[in-house]
């Protein structure tokens, strides 16, 4: 069984992002970029499925500029077998990414495609769902457990009220939640070996997909600053303040 994993290069989760002075976007000049955390869970799951003998090949794909090679090498170091860079200098929005991924699924024919549940830069959480719809495949989003038996998959999903267990057949699309697993630490020798592996590069324009942006970014601004809190000396004082506060009845 072949697994395709889609990985996005995003601003590292430890970085506090700055907004450009003209409010046109987030300033990523010189900022540390990394693999989207949920996509690491997606790779880890694929590698574990291979270690269990369920998967036979793991192909990772990233869409964007040539710099995305670093996240692909990270995935190869984690245990992926092949890497594909779909190169584009456009702003690829979730619909465009889903269409490009669909053409790769058509080409690679994976039984399972795993994505992250959302990319932490735009927090869209849309690509997996749109990809499944375009392919007309079953989907399990926000997945925290997967078990595969032949052609049948049982997935546990994180939903608002707790968890939901669903069953479906392959081929399918899954999006990974953080709870799915703990991604392995990448050892230096594995990274060195991954540097030697070749990365197939496809030009996004060669896939014949309309990737025009459908959304326009109007403005980026800081969230309003929170007012600082106050300390009260006693429970009585707290109750008095709450009673005095409009709309609170105690
Ligand atoms: P989003 O819908 O943008 O929140 O992204 C959800 C998931 O889609 C990510 O966690 C990735 O697995 C995948 N994805 C989004 N953008 C890209 C990209 N440019 N390259 C590869 N995978 C992507």
């Amino acid at each position: 069984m072949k697994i395709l994993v889609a990985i996005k290069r995003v601003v590292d989760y430890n970085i506090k992002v700055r907004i450009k002075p003209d409010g046109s976007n987030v300033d990523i000049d010189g900022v540390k970029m990394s693999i989207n955390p949920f996509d690491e869970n997606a790779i880890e799951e694929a590698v574990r499925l291979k270690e269990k003998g369920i998967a036979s090949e793991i192909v990772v794909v990233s869409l964007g500029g040539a710099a995305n090679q670093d996240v692909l090498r990270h995935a190869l170091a984690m245990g992926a077998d092949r890497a594909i860079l779909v190169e584009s200098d456009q702003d690829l929005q979730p619909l465009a990414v889903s269409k490009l991924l669909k053409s790769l699924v058509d080409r690679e024919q994976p039984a399972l495609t795993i994505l992250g549940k959302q990319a932490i830069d735009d927090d869209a959480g849309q690509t997996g769902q749109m990809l499944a719809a375009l392919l007309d495949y079953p989907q399990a989003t926000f997945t925290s457990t997967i078990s595969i038996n032949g052609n049948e998959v049982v997935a546990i999903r994180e939903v608002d009220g707790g968890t939901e267990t669903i069953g479906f057949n392959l081929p399918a699309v899954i999006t990974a939640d953080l709870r799915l697993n703990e991604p392995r630490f990448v050892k230096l020798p594995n990274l060195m070996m991954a540097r030697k592996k070749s990365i197939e590069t496809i030009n996004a324009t060669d896939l014949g997909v309309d990737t025009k942006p459908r959304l326009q970014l109007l403005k980026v601004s800081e969230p309003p600053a929170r007012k600082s809190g106050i300390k009260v000396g006693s429970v009585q004082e707290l109750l008095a303040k709450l009673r005095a506060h409009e709309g609170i009845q105690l």
Side-chain angles (χ1 to χ4, degrees):
M1 175 176 105
K2 190 194 278 191
I3 302 183
L4 183 75
V5 183
I7 59 174
K8 187 172 187 185
R9 184 174 188 264
V10 296
V11 171
D12 187 90
Y13 72 96
N14 286 306
I15 302 285
K16 188 175 179 326
V17 288
R18 290 181 316 262
I19 293 173
K20 288 184 178 173
D22 64 0
S24 62
N25 210 330
V26 165
D27 187 359
I28 57 164
D29 244 16
V31 166
K32 181 173 185 238
M33 305 291 282
S34 299
I35 184 167
N36 184 46
F38 301 107
D39 304 355
E40 254 192 307
N41 296 97
I43 303 165
E44 177 64 34
E45 199 60 20
V47 175
R48 289 188 190 189
L49 287 169
K50 190 170 173 200
E51 285 167 349
K52 283 186 202 153
I54 295 171
S56 51
E57 189 185 18
I58 303 166
V59 182
V60 281
V61 55
S62 192
L63 286 58
N68 286 30
Q69 290 197 12
D70 60 0
V71 292
L72 288 167
R73 295 210 184 278
H74 183 92
L76 289 169
M78 281 179 76
D81 299 293
R82 272 201 290 135
I84 304 174
L85 170 67
V86 177
E87 216 170 353
S88 169
D89 53 12
Q90 267 194 27
D91 163 32
L92 295 174
Q93 295 177 350
L95 180 61
V97 174
S98 330
K99 288 182 185 169
L100 291 167
L101 288 176
K102 180 189 180 292
S103 68
L104 279 182
V105 171
D106 290 343
R107 190 183 96 150
E108 292 284 338
Q109 294 290 311
L112 186 62
T113 302
I114 316 184
L115 298 89
K117 74 167 180 179
Q118 74 196 72
I120 60 163
D121 48 5
D122 294 335
D123 274 336
Q126 298 170 353
T127 309
Q129 294 86 331
M130 291 199 280
L131 173 64
L134 291 171
L135 290 164
D136 199 19
Y137 282 2
Q139 58 179 296
T141 51
F142 317 118
T143 305
S144 55
T145 309
I146 308 171
S147 55
I148 302 181
N149 190 357
N151 205 29
E152 291 169 11
V153 186
V154 174
I156 302 181
R157 310 178 52 228
E158 303 282 319
V159 293
D160 281 348
T163 58
E164 180 185 61
T165 304
I166 55 171
F168 50 91
N169 286 337
L170 297 172
V173 174
I174 283 177
T175 75
D177 193 271
L178 275 189
R179 262 181 268 244
L180 185 57
N181 51 48
E182 174 111 9
R184 68 199 57 200
F185 182 75
V186 174
K187 298 191 191 108
L188 192 60
N190 293 3
L191 261 182
M192 304 298 276
M193 256 154 36
R195 289 227 181 105
K196 291 191 195 128
K197 288 200 183 173
S198 67
I199 293 177
E200 183 187 355
T201 302
I202 301 173
N203 201 317
T205 49
D206 293 342
L207 293 175
V209 167
D210 170 13
T211 55
K212 268 200 305 290
R214 299 293 206 278
L215 307 168
Q216 198 190 340
L217 181 59
L218 300 180
K219 186 172 158 239
V220 179
S221 54
E222 293 278 356
R226 285 183 64 178
K227 281 201 214 126
S228 58
I230 53 161
K231 266 194 179 165
V232 291
S234 67
V235 173
Q236 296 314 322
E237 194 188 338
L238 171 66
L239 290 176
K241 285 207 182 297
L242 288 173
R243 281 198 188 99
H245 194 282
E246 207 185 341
I248 295 185
Q249 310 225 322
L250 289 169

